[in-house]
Amino acid sequence: AILPLDSRRSRPRRIARVLPRAWPRMEAAVRADGGGGGEGPRPRRLLVLNGMGLDTRGDTEESRAYFRSCARFADYDRHIRRSAQELGALVEHVQTNDLEECMARLRAATEEAIVINPAGFSKEAALAECIAGLGKPVIEVHYGNFFAKGAQSAVTASCSGLVVGAKLDSYTLGMRAALTALEPSYREFDHPPAGS
């Protein structure tokens, strides 16, 4: 199941679907806190999707030792939401341990860009294929530098960008990169230029 975090609890809660009615309230909160520019353009919408195992990250000594971190899912959620507010973006943060649900949520995404930590789905060719067909910026992020452990991600080649090893700030940098990829100036130095 897709599990958005209930801010009043430290564990994800199961929901049947993401409620689009929440967007106007979230947008109003971003604007009230100075993000989104008041009368200016609407805040950009981002999906931050965490894959298999992120819901239990930091819960066991084994997890803390492997990832060299005691950060729990609630810490990830708090950081992601704070970063989105600072960036003036609206974020839907979800986590799923089911590959089919992960891919279904990606395909159904109405958000303008996506930040994904595939976590336990990093080696899934089906996920890489799904991402390749999305037609929108997708930034892959990881808390640690998995290259230093000799690991690889099959998803990376299908993504627009990759941020690793910046701990929770990997999400902040990933969201910034996703927002930047939506700007017309993002392709200014591409070669050959668009339309050539």
Side-chain angles (χ1 to χ4, degrees), residues 36-106:
E39 294 297 320
R42 291 178 58 113
R44 298 287 197 165
R45 294 173 53 210
L46 300 176
L47 170 63
V48 177
L49 179 60
N50 280 304
M52 184 170 65
L54 256 292
D55 58 329
T56 58
R57 185 75 51 96
D59 285 354
T60 65
E61 185 55 37
E62 180 183 5
S63 170
R64 291 187 288 272
Y66 182 79
F67 294 104
R68 304 184 76 173
S69 170
C70 61
R72 293 182 170 194
F73 187 70
D75 300 313
Y76 282 72
D77 185 70
R78 217 175 1 264
H79 186 85
I80 288 164
R81 293 185 188 285
R82 183 174 52 243
S83 296
Q85 187 173 18
E86 290 169 2
L87 293 168
L90 298 176
V91 66
E92 177 67 29
H93 179 208
V94 296
Q95 187 279 329
T96 181
N97 290 319
D98 183 275
L99 179 60
E100 291 302 319
E101 287 183 349
C102 176
M103 294 189 300
R105 178 60 179 95
L106 289 169

Side-chain angles (χ1 to χ4, degrees), residues 124-180:
E124 297 291 342
L127 179 59
E129 187 177 319
C130 172
I131 290 170
L134 293 177
K136 61 178 71 179
V138 179
I139 308 297
E140 181 180 1
V141 300
H142 293 274
Y143 181 94
N145 180 355
F146 65 88
F147 295 112
K149 297 177 183 178
Q152 295 180 355
S153 171
V155 173
T156 304
S158 298
C159 292
S160 310
L162 172 67
V163 179
V164 300
K167 304 188 178 193
L168 290 178
D169 278 334
S170 292
Y171 288 88
T172 307
L173 297 169
M175 287 188 284
R176 184 178 302 280
L179 292 168
T180 300

